[in-house]
Amino acid sequence: MATFASVTNKKLAKIPVTELMLLMVAIFWGTSYGLTKEALIFTSVFVFIAIRFSITFLCMLPVVIRDFRCGLNGDWMVAIPTGAVLSAIFFCEVYGVFHTSASNAAFLISLSVVFTAFAELVVNKRRVTNVLLVMTMTSVLGVLLLTSSKEGALVLNKGDCFILLAAVLRALMVTLTKRVVEGKAITTSTLTAVQSLVVASIAIILAFIFQSSSEISMPNSLTFWLVMAYLVIFCTLFAFYVQNYAVRKTSPTRVSLLMGSEPLFGALFAVMWLNETLSLVQMIGGGLIFFSVIITSLWKEDVVV
């Protein structure tokens, strides 16, 4: 008993603030797929992304100006490549959500958890621990069961392929961010703001290239702006600040695993808010995700190099 207790005390720790914040991101992102589909009723993909990230950048601008005046952002240009990757993620993700179901999108985007483990090995030359790998596979199995249909089949359409590409890019995003900002003079606020500016700029340029002037007009629906306010505050400002903060504190695979639990919270949101029901298989899937999240949060991580 003493031996078991000593091992447990070495490996387990209280849930830190970083993990709790990542789980909050998963909760917000779990509700974002349906809201994004609703917002796209009123505008195009390019305009939607441009508005969302322009507002995000403007909200962050006062803090960024303060950070620059304090001399904290000497290496701010390292954020530009990560902003380019983030723009690709959102183009694929939003376009994919527009052409597929929310459940398919939730499952496919969660595969970024697996891709991140491989990306860490290739990009950062780091192999994650066996415990984290096992929890990664457990989470993916849980998501598959949670989002399974009665027929049990998963047929990939055009939208699904874009979501799958977004999952690969998500893995690259967190891994690349870890690599480029490590030891650099740039605040998390500025990192988030520069990324948002890059995404908004690319979206605006593409909108003017591929769309007519009438298609670029601002939506006048109150529903659209209420949805946009929620997405900007909770799913963009808060979420990407936390992601950038967490990547600097822990491994990309751990970050992806905790944020990859978003389908669980999406399903719980559907049950409580939309009065949907879950089958026994889906409840088992949710339980597996919950188990992997708890173990990942409590397990003291040792990254193998």
Side-chain angles (χ1 to χ4, degrees), residues 96-119:
V97 167
F98 184 74
H99 289 282
T100 190
S101 67
S103 60
N104 273 14
F107 166 61
L108 292 170
I109 201 67
S110 71
L111 293 179
S112 62
V113 176
V114 177
F115 298 143
T116 303
F118 289 103

Side-chain angles (χ1 to χ4, degrees), residues 104 107 144-145 147-155 279 281-282:
N104 273 14
F107 166 61
L144 177 59
L145 296 177
T147 58
S148 63
S149 63
K150 293 181 180 180
E151 296 79 12
L154 181 64
V155 179
S279 67
V281 172
Q282 290 174 316

Side-chain angles (χ1 to χ4, degrees), residues 218-241:
M218 286 285 187
N220 55 13
S221 167
L222 176 61
T223 300
F224 172 85
W225 289 107
L226 290 175
V227 170
M228 182 60 69
Y230 176 87
L231 292 174
V232 167
I233 295 171
F234 298 107
C235 302
T236 310
L237 273 171
F238 176 78
F240 286 103
Y241 181 90

Side-chain angles (χ1 to χ4, degrees), residues 35 76 83 86 115 128 131 143 153 184 186 195 213 240 243 251 253 269 276 292 294:
L35 293 174
W76 66 271
L86 183 60
F115 298 143
V128 297
V131 171
V143 173
K184 295 295 193 300
I186 180 172
Q195 289 172 342
S213 56
F240 286 103
Q243 176 179 287
S251 75
T253 299
F269 174 79
E276 295 184 5
S292 66
I294 293 299

